Amino acid sequence: MTVYGTGSQQDAPPAPGAGLTVREALELPCLSGARLVAGARGDGRRIRVVNIMEVPDIVRWMRGGELLLTTAYAVRDDVDALCALVPVLAERGLAGLGVKVGPYLSRLPPRMLRLADELGFPVVELPGGVMFNDILSEVIGTVLNRQALELEHSRAIHERLTRVAIGGGSYQDLMNVLLELSGCAAAVLDEHGAVLASAGAPPTDEPPAHSRTVHVDSRAAGSVGLWTATDPDDDTGLQGHAHRIVALEHATTVAATIAAQERAVTSREQRYRALMLMELVSRPPRDRAETVRRASAMGWNPWLPRAAVLLEVTDAQGASPCSELALEERLLPLARRAAGDDAVIWSCQGGLAMLVAAGDALTDRCHAVHRAVTAAHPDWDVVVAAGTVRDDFADFHHSYAEAVETLTLGREVHGPDFVRGYAELGVYRLLGHLPDEELRRLVADALGPLLDYDRDHEGSLVDTLGAYLLHDRNGVAVAARLHIHYNTLRYRLRQIERLTGGLERTPMSRLQTELAVHARRMLTARDRG
C-alpha cells in the first residue's frame, strides 16, 4: 500500500529553511560595509550558496540560489555586457549579485541598476577592501548552521507527529498536536472537503491558507489544512511561516498513514463480513442460532424477508472499469442510498451482492439502484438481477442462486445492461426445475441436426434460429441483430427448414423447438456462471 502526502497547496513558498535571505545576509559582519543599491524588491531571495565570477561564461553553470560575487574585471570595459548580466542572472534564479567597486570598476552603471530594479533582482555594492573569502566562509557557514537547525526542527516535528500514528492515535489526536506545534487552526478533510477532525476552531466560511493533499494507494484521500494567524509575521508556536509548512508536510504524511490504517481495518472487516454473507447465501446455515448471533453482531436483522440482488458493472470493452477496491468505494454509497438502509450489501467480483428487504417494492429498488449507478457512471453498462423474496434466512441461498441465474441468463438474452428479476424469466423458471441431463436431451432431440451442421461446417444455424425466435420471426430485426445481410438470413432459414423438417410443421414441434432453444441458452448461461 503506497502512502504519502504531497503538496497540493494554495501557495508554494521557498523550501523552509533553504538558506538565508539577501536582507539577512547584509546584516552579517562580513557585509557590514555593503549597500543594496538596486532590486530591493527582491531582498527576500534566499541564498543557497556563494560563488565568485571571474569569467563571463560562469553564468551557464549557475543552478539558482547563488549569491554571485565579482570584481567585474572580465567586463570592466564593456558596460553592455555588465548590464546584460542582470536579466540572465535573474532568469537563472540567482539570489543576487555582489559587485566590488574600486579596483576595476569605479561605479555601477545606472542602466544596470535600473534593470535590476525593474526585475527585483538584488545588486549589492561591495566596498573595495572587502575579502571574498570572508564573505564565502561567513555566509556559507550561516547557511549550513541554519540548515542544521532546520533539519533538527524537522526531525523533532516528525518524531512528535509520528508518535501519534505509532500510538494508534486518531485524526483528532493528530490535529491537536499540529495545533500545538503551529499555533494555527488545523483540520483534516475528506476527499469531498468535509471535516473529519479539527483543532483550534478553523473558520467554516474560508479555505485554509495552506493545504496538502493526502494520498493513499496513489489516490487522493483528503487533505490537511492550516488557517494561519491574521498577522503573517506572527510567530506563535513554531518560529514563523517556514516551520508551520514543515509541520503541515509531516502532519500530512502521518494523516496518510492513519488513513491507510483505517482502510486496512475496514477492508479486513468487510472481507470477514463478505465471507460470512457469501457463506449464508451459498448454502443453508449449519447452525441457525450461530447465524443469528453473527448477524446481530454485524447489526442487521436476519428475520426480515429478503431477496438476493446482484449488481455488476462493465466498461465499453466488457471488462471491470476499475480495481475491486475502487469499484466497491464507488458503488457502495450509490447502492446503499437506492436499496434502502435495511439492505445488507457486500462486495463481490465485478460489483456488489445485496440482501434487500424490499417486499413488494423489490422491483422499484432494483430500478433505483440501476438509475443511481447509471447516473453517476453513464459510460458503464449496469446489470441488476434479483432472486425472489424469501421469508426465512435459511432459504436465502435459493434466492441468491436465482439472482445468479437471472444475471447469467439476462446477459445472454438482454445484453450487458438490464434490470430483471427471477420472476420475469418466464419459461426459464420452468426449465430451471429440470436437471441438466433432461435439458440436454431436449436440445439434442430438437436441435441435433442443426448442432451437427454447425459443428461440421463452423456454422451459426442454432444462433440464427435463437435470434429468429427471440425477435418474433422478424427477418429485418434478426439480420440487424446478427449483422448479416437479409439474403444471408434467408439462406440460413432455408437450411434450418431442410434440416429440421420445417419449424411450423405442427404446434408441438414448434413448441419443442422453441423450448430447446431456451434450454440451450440456459445451459450456456449455467456453464458460464
Side-chain angles (χ1 to χ4, degrees):
M1 177 177 290
T2 305
V3 179
Y4 56 92
T6 189
S8 173
Q9 70 262 38
Q10 294 173 348
D11 62 343
L20 74 162
T21 65
V22 172
R23 179 174 60 252
E24 293 168 334
L26 289 171
E27 298 174 359
L28 297 176
C30 64
L31 290 170
S32 58
R35 294 188 304 120
L36 182 62
V37 293
R41 180 161 49 88
D43 66 358
R45 288 176 178 246
R46 291 189 177 274
I47 300 171
R48 180 179 56 84
V49 69
V50 181
N51 212 330
I52 299 174
M53 184 186 86
E54 295 300 347
V55 291
D57 66 350
I58 194 175
V59 173
R60 63 178 175 172
W61 305 110
M62 299 293 100
R63 295 184 177 182
E66 295 94 342
L67 173 61
L68 188 62
L69 307 178
T70 182
T71 61
Y73 177 82
V75 290
R76 64 189 183 281
D77 298 323
D78 191 345
V79 174
D80 290 338
L82 185 58
C83 293
L85 270 178
V86 171
V88 174
L89 297 179
E91 183 181 358
R92 290 271 180 167
L94 270 70
L97 175 66
V99 185
K100 185 186 288 191
V101 175
Y104 307 109
L105 194 67
S106 59
R107 69 187 185 97
L108 298 177
R111 179 154 57 96
M112 171 187 177
L113 301 182
R114 285 196 302 272
L115 275 171
D117 280 328
E118 291 173 5
L119 296 171
F121 180 73
V123 174
V124 178
E125 182 180 290
L126 304 174
V130 73
M131 301 294 292
F132 283 174
N133 282 342
D134 293 340
I135 299 175
L136 276 167
S137 61
E138 190 167 353
V139 172
I140 292 178
T142 303
V143 169
L144 292 176
N145 286 337
R146 287 199 172 193
Q147 288 177 344
L149 288 173
E150 292 298 335
L151 287 173
E152 179 60 26
H153 276 301
S154 179
R155 184 193 62 79
I157 292 168
H158 177 71
E159 288 183 356
R160 180 75 187 281
L161 291 167
T162 301
R163 283 199 295 269
V164 175
I166 294 175
S170 64
Y171 284 135
Q172 187 60 57
D173 297 324
L174 179 64
M175 291 302 100
N176 290 341
V177 174
L178 182 56
L179 170 63
E180 180 184 338
L181 291 171
S182 67
C184 300
V188 57
L189 315 171
D190 68 12
E191 60 266 38
H192 306 295
V195 175
L196 300 176
S198 66
T204 58
D205 57 347
E206 62 182 70
H210 312 287
S211 67
R212 297 291 187 273
T213 301
V214 176
H215 283 85
V216 177
D217 287 336
S218 302
R219 293 185 59 218
S223 63
V224 178
L226 278 182
W227 285 257
T228 55
T230 303
D231 180 1
D233 297 321
D234 179 23
D235 287 345
T236 303
L238 289 175
Q239 295 300 308
H241 169 83
H243 292 165
R244 293 189 183 111
I245 298 301
V246 170
L248 176 60
E249 294 282 0
H250 287 308
T252 302
T253 300
V254 175
T257 301
I258 293 174
Q261 291 171 342
E262 291 187 348
R263 287 195 178 191
V265 171
T266 301
S267 179
R268 284 195 297 270
E269 291 176 348
Q270 289 176 342
R271 282 198 296 270
Y272 170 78
R273 192 169 182 268
L275 286 172
M276 183 204 150
L277 290 166
M278 282 306 299
E279 181 181 327
L280 177 64
V281 298
S282 298
R283 59 176 180 268
R286 296 188 179 93
D287 186 333
R288 290 178 63 93
E290 175 64 13
T291 300
V292 171
R293 185 192 66 76
R294 293 167 68 185
S296 299
M298 290 192 302
W300 62 279
N301 183 357
W303 304 111
L304 289 177
R306 296 178 185 272
V309 177
L310 294 176
L311 165 66
E312 286 194 4
V313 296
T314 52
D315 59 19
Q317 287 71 44
S320 180
C322 51
S323 69
E324 185 175 343
L325 178 60
L327 195 62
E328 181 180 354
E329 290 179 348
R330 296 186 189 187
L331 293 178
L332 264 175
L334 299 171
R336 193 169 301 285
R337 285 194 295 269
D341 294 335
D342 52 9
V344 180
I345 306 176
W346 67 100
S347 64
C348 61
Q349 187 176 9
L352 301 175
M354 296 173 269
L355 288 173
V356 179
D360 295 337
L362 177 61
T363 300
D364 294 338
R365 293 201 187 183
C366 288
H367 281 280
V369 170
H370 186 275
R371 285 194 301 271
V373 177
T374 302
H377 303 284
D379 53 333
W380 291 359
D381 287 322
V382 182
V383 168
V384 181
T388 56
V389 176
R390 302 289 172 153
D391 295 331
D392 190 331
F393 65 80
D395 293 328
F396 287 169
H397 66 287
H398 292 304
S399 182
Y400 184 81
E402 293 169 349
V404 170
E405 193 161 331
T406 303
L407 185 144
T408 51
L409 278 171
R411 286 195 185 282
E412 182 75 20
V413 177
H414 304 292
D417 195 292
F418 62 88
V419 180
R420 285 292 184 278
Y422 185 71
E424 301 174 73
L425 290 181
V427 71
Y428 293 109
R429 294 179 63 187
L430 173 63
L431 295 174
H433 292 289
L434 297 177
D436 287 357
E437 183 181 349
E438 287 296 328
L439 293 176
R440 290 191 176 91
R441 185 176 294 114
L442 173 62
V443 171
D445 290 344
L447 305 178
L450 301 183
L451 292 169
D452 293 340
Y453 181 91
D454 285 345
R455 183 187 63 250
D456 296 339
H457 299 86
E458 297 183 359
S460 302
L461 296 186
V462 176
D463 289 337
T464 301
L465 175 59
Y468 184 64
L469 297 176
L470 180 65
H471 288 275
D472 199 24
R473 296 168 169 75
N474 185 324
V476 175
V478 174
R481 168 71 180 271
L482 298 177
H483 305 290
I484 60 175
H485 193 277
Y486 184 74
N487 287 338
T488 302
L489 173 64
R490 292 179 61 189
Y491 172 78
R492 291 183 184 178
L493 291 176
R494 286 197 297 271
Q495 289 288 85
I496 292 170
E497 287 283 331
R498 180 179 64 80
L499 292 171
T500 60
L503 293 177
E504 308 292 340
R505 60 186 186 277
T506 65
M508 183 60 69
S509 64
R510 181 170 64 246
L511 175 60
Q512 184 178 2
T513 300
E514 294 197 14
L515 286 175
V517 168
H518 294 307
R520 179 176 176 273
R521 187 172 289 133
M522 172 170 277
L523 288 168
T524 301
R526 284 181 180 177
D527 291 340
R528 291 176 180 175

